[in-house]
């Protein structure tokens, strides 16, 4: 019916001071100002956040799920990147 | 060769499902899985939105300010639920406005319960208690749906729904402890909403041919009849506390099965309402179509304003 749809925005919310903004969902809005206002109404009706980011979905670049093996598998095999890989003598504390 | 590939993809897809690995928007999925979800999620979204109509009608007539604030908050939540769900349907590549136009043209369905009118204040309490109660029963099961965005939306919705049912029940407790007229009003609402609420779980298992595939894909975790039975079992004791009579002479605790037995459902009525002949089908669709058509200039103006401002910025 309308010739041009409102763009899609991704919504990120900081639930409290000291925490990251986290993706919570998306919505449609004509511009950033209204996207923020709509995000307030749609995603923070119960004190879910103290700060909102909105990003036009067009600008999100995502990795291809079919590349997941080649991208992430190499780190699965590198157990020496974790402290638990290393043995320390019994007497050592706090390392 | 090509069909082999497809078979292999389908096999891997089913393995993921069997291992309880969620499917995300960009993952490969069978066309039928995508179509089933688009249909189901958009119908769910439509139900949230159309569901605002019978209740919204009572906001200005709520008996006091507390009830009015509560009803307003509930109806606003339902709008939110509709929006989460339209967003999740978009992750499947569906065109949001096209799904809405399908609702308006009658091609897409929504929960048949919203085609019944809310004629008294007791209906509002009853809708919260029984209709939201039945919706919660359905939606809790959907929190474990194999499609990630739908499952996550359901988790958020379920958290919000729990007050919807409680506020309805609380309102009925007040009426049932009130004057005989108030109590009779509550009973009358119960008489009208009980059977339509049971129909909300959809046709019997032997009449729903797509159920088996949905269960295999873990879109559904429980059959319609299983959910309906859980709802009856949970609701009968609540009705007893209210002192309301459930309009079913055959409703009886069955010691052997550990469930309540109840009368067969009038499926003719269900199909009549689903197919457009319920008391309010026409009115509901007209209200939604009018909202879109008469609100269109606002959408267009907002878009034109945003475009003008963006142009100014770059100039
Ligand atoms: Fe809802
Ligand atoms: Fe609700």
């Amino acid at each position: 019916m309308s010739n041009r749809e409102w763009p899609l925005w991704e919504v990120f919310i900081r639930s409290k001071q000291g925490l990251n903004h986290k993706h919570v969902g998306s919505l449609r809005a004509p511009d950033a100002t209204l996207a923020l206002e709509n995000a307030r109404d749609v995603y923070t009706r119960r004190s879910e956040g103290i700060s909102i980011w909105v990003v036009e979905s067009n600008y999100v670049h995502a990795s291809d799920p079919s590349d997941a093996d080649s991208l992430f598998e190499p780190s699965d095999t590198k157990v020496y990147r974790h402290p638990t890989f290393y043995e320390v003598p019994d007497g050592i504390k706090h390392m | 060769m090509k069909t082999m590939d497809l078979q292999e993809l389908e096999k891997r897809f089913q393995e993921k499902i069997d291992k309880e690995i969620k499917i995300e928007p960009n993952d490969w999925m069978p066309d039928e899985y995508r179509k089933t979800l688009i249909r189901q999620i958009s119908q769910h979204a439509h139900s949230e939105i159309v569901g605002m109509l019978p209740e919204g009608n009572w906001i200005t007539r709520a008996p006091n300010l507390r009830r009015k604030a509560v009803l307003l908050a509930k109806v606003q939540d339902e709008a939110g639920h509709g929006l989460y769900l339209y967003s999740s349907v978009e992750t499947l590549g569906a065109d949001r406005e096209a799904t809405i136009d399908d609702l308006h043209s009658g091609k897409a369905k929504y929960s048949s319960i919203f085609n019944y009118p809310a004629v008294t204040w007791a209906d509002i309490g009853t809708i919260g208690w029984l209709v939201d109660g039945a919706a919660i029963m359905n939606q809790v099961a959907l929190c474990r749906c194999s499609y990630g965005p739908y499952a996550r939306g359901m988790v958020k919705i379920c958290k919000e729904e729990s007050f919807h049912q409680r506020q309805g029940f609380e309102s009925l407790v007040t009426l049932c402890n009130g004057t005989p007229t108030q109590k009779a009003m509550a009973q009358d609402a119960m008489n009208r909403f009980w059977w339509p609420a049971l129909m909300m779980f959809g046709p019997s298992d032997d009449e729903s041919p797509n159920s088996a595939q949905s269960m295999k894909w873990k879109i559904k975790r429980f059959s319609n009849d299983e959910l309906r039975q859980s709802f009856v079992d949970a609701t009968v004791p609540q009705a007893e506390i209210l002192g309301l009579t459930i309009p079913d002479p055959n409703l009886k605790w069955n010691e052997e099965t550990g469930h309540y037995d109840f009368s067969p459902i009038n499926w003719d009525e269900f199909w009549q309402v689903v197919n457009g002949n319920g008391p309010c089908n026409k009115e509901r669709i007209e209200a939604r179509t009018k909202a879109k058509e008469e609100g269109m200039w606002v959408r267009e103006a907002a878009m034109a304003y945003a475009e003008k401002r963006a142009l100014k910025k770059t100039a």
Side-chain angles (χ1 to χ4, degrees):
Chain A
M1 203 184 285
S2 73
N3 41 3
R4 190 145 135 38
E5 267 219 57
W6 287 358
L8 193 64
W9 301 76
E10 299 304 319
V11 181
F12 300 81
I13 294 200
R14 187 201 292 286
S15 57
K16 61 179 191 191
Q17 204 65 30
L19 295 182
N20 291 330
H21 285 78
K22 201 176 146 207
H23 184 245
V24 294
S26 50
L27 51 77
R28 288 196 175 265
D31 58 25
T33 312
L34 280 170
L36 283 168
E37 268 183 39
N38 291 352
R40 201 269 321 247
D41 290 344
V42 180
Y43 292 106
T44 66
R45 288 194 305 282
R46 287 176 176 76
S47 320
E48 288 95 337
I50 53 152
S51 162
I52 304 172
W53 288 352
V54 290
V55 179
E56 225 184 299
S57 311
N58 276 339
Y59 295 108
V60 175
H61 299 270
S63 64
D64 186 334
S66 61
D67 292 341
D69 282 353
S70 61
L71 284 173
F72 308 115
E73 194 274 328
S75 86
D76 290 344
T77 56
K78 294 178 179 60
V79 283
Y80 46 86
R81 283 177 172 169
H82 299 277
T84 46
F85 179 73
Y86 302 93
E87 274 182 37
V88 285
D90 280 347
I92 305 277
K93 283 172 183 165
H94 310 302
M95 184 187 275
Chain B
M1 181 67 204
K2 197 94 181 141
T3 54
M4 276 299 287
D5 284 348
L6 191 63
Q7 270 177 5
E8 182 58 28
L9 284 166
E10 275 173 0
K11 194 174 136 245
R12 282 190 207 170
F13 176 82
Q14 191 60 47
E15 282 167 4
K16 274 170 86 177
I17 301 269
D18 294 341
K19 281 194 268 179
E20 298 290 331
I21 298 173
K22 295 275 188 234
I23 308 302
E24 294 296 339
N26 294 330
D27 295 344
W28 186 89
M29 60 187 88
D31 281 347
E32 249 338 282
Y33 177 83
R34 186 185 299 276
K35 270 192 223 152
T36 302
L37 279 169
I38 290 175
R39 188 178 356 101
Q40 182 172 333
I41 304 174
S42 63
Q43 291 186 6
H44 194 162
H46 302 331
S47 303
E48 302 284 351
I49 299 296
V50 176
M52 292 194 287
L53 296 168
E55 289 181 299
N57 195 30
W58 278 89
I59 291 172
T60 53
R61 291 181 281 158
N64 59 46
L65 191 55
R66 181 178 181 272
R67 298 270 180 228
K68 184 173 180 168
V70 167
L71 187 56
L72 202 55
K74 179 189 189 288
V75 173
Q76 194 187 8
D77 272 354
E78 305 302 2
H81 298 173
L83 290 174
Y84 310 150
L85 289 163
Y86 285 126
S87 296
S88 77
V89 98
E90 282 191 283
T91 65
L92 289 158
D95 180 327
R96 176 199 199 105
E97 286 304 313
T99 68
I100 292 171
D101 291 336
D102 283 348
L103 168 71
H104 298 174
S105 71
K107 195 176 146 207
K109 305 288 180 216
Y110 53 92
S111 184
S112 59
I113 191 82
F114 301 116
N115 291 315
Y116 293 87
V119 292
T120 73
W121 173 250
D123 288 10
I124 297 304
T126 306
I127 288 172
W129 173 42
L130 294 180
V131 176
D132 288 75
I136 291 169
M137 198 60 86
N138 255 323
Q139 292 175 151
V140 166
L142 286 168
C143 289
R144 287 172 59 227
C145 169
S146 59
Y147 186 59
Y150 193 29
R152 290 190 290 273
M154 280 302 119
V155 170
K156 192 164 165 51
I157 287 177
C158 284
K159 276 190 202 155
E160 300 184 351
E161 285 293 352
S162 48
F163 111 75
H164 297 182
Q165 190 183 22
R166 277 185 178 222
Q167 63 82 33
F169 192 75
E170 188 207 66
S171 172
L172 286 175
V173 169
T174 307
L175 288 177
C176 290
N177 292 328
T179 64
T181 316
Q182 286 174 317
K183 176 92 189 262
M185 194 198 261
Q187 182 63 54
D188 170 63
M190 169 64 142
N191 295 347
R192 283 178 289 109
F193 277 95
W194 175 252
W195 290 108
L198 294 198
M199 293 175 197
M200 284 175 70
F201 297 94
S204 289
D205 295 349
D206 44 345
E207 297 289 323
S208 44
N210 304 321
S211 263
Q213 184 57 265
S214 284
M215 299 271 263
K216 190 166 172 243
W217 279 332
K218 296 190 178 161
I219 293 174
K220 274 176 94 154
R221 298 279 179 161
F222 301 97
S223 76
N224 296 352
D225 287 333
E226 284 171 325
L227 289 166
R228 185 164 20 242
Q229 185 68 58
S230 306
F231 176 73
V232 172
D233 293 345
T235 311
V236 174
Q238 297 165 0
E240 282 167 6
I241 287 174
L242 290 170
L244 293 177
T245 307
I246 291 176
D248 180 357
N250 297 312
L251 186 89
K252 189 166 93 253
W253 177 253
N254 183 327
E255 203 68 63
E256 230 164 86
T257 59
H259 295 289
Y260 284 93
D261 292 335
F262 53 93
S263 299
I265 286 173
N266 179 354
W267 292 114
D268 282 346
E269 175 182 332
F270 173 78
W271 290 115
Q272 280 294 322
V273 178
V274 168
N275 292 324
N277 304 317
C280 301
N281 297 58
K282 197 165 160 277
E283 191 185 325
R284 301 292 186 237
I285 294 301
E286 274 171 8
R288 292 310 311 149
T289 310
K290 182 168 169 245
K292 178 164 178 172
E293 281 170 4
E294 294 185 2
M296 190 50 73
W297 71 270
V298 180
R299 293 204 214 181
E300 283 165 356
M303 198 65 241
Y305 179 68
E307 281 168 344
K308 197 175 96 187
R309 285 226 308 194
L311 263 177
K312 248 191 204 152
K313 242 190 209 163
T314 54

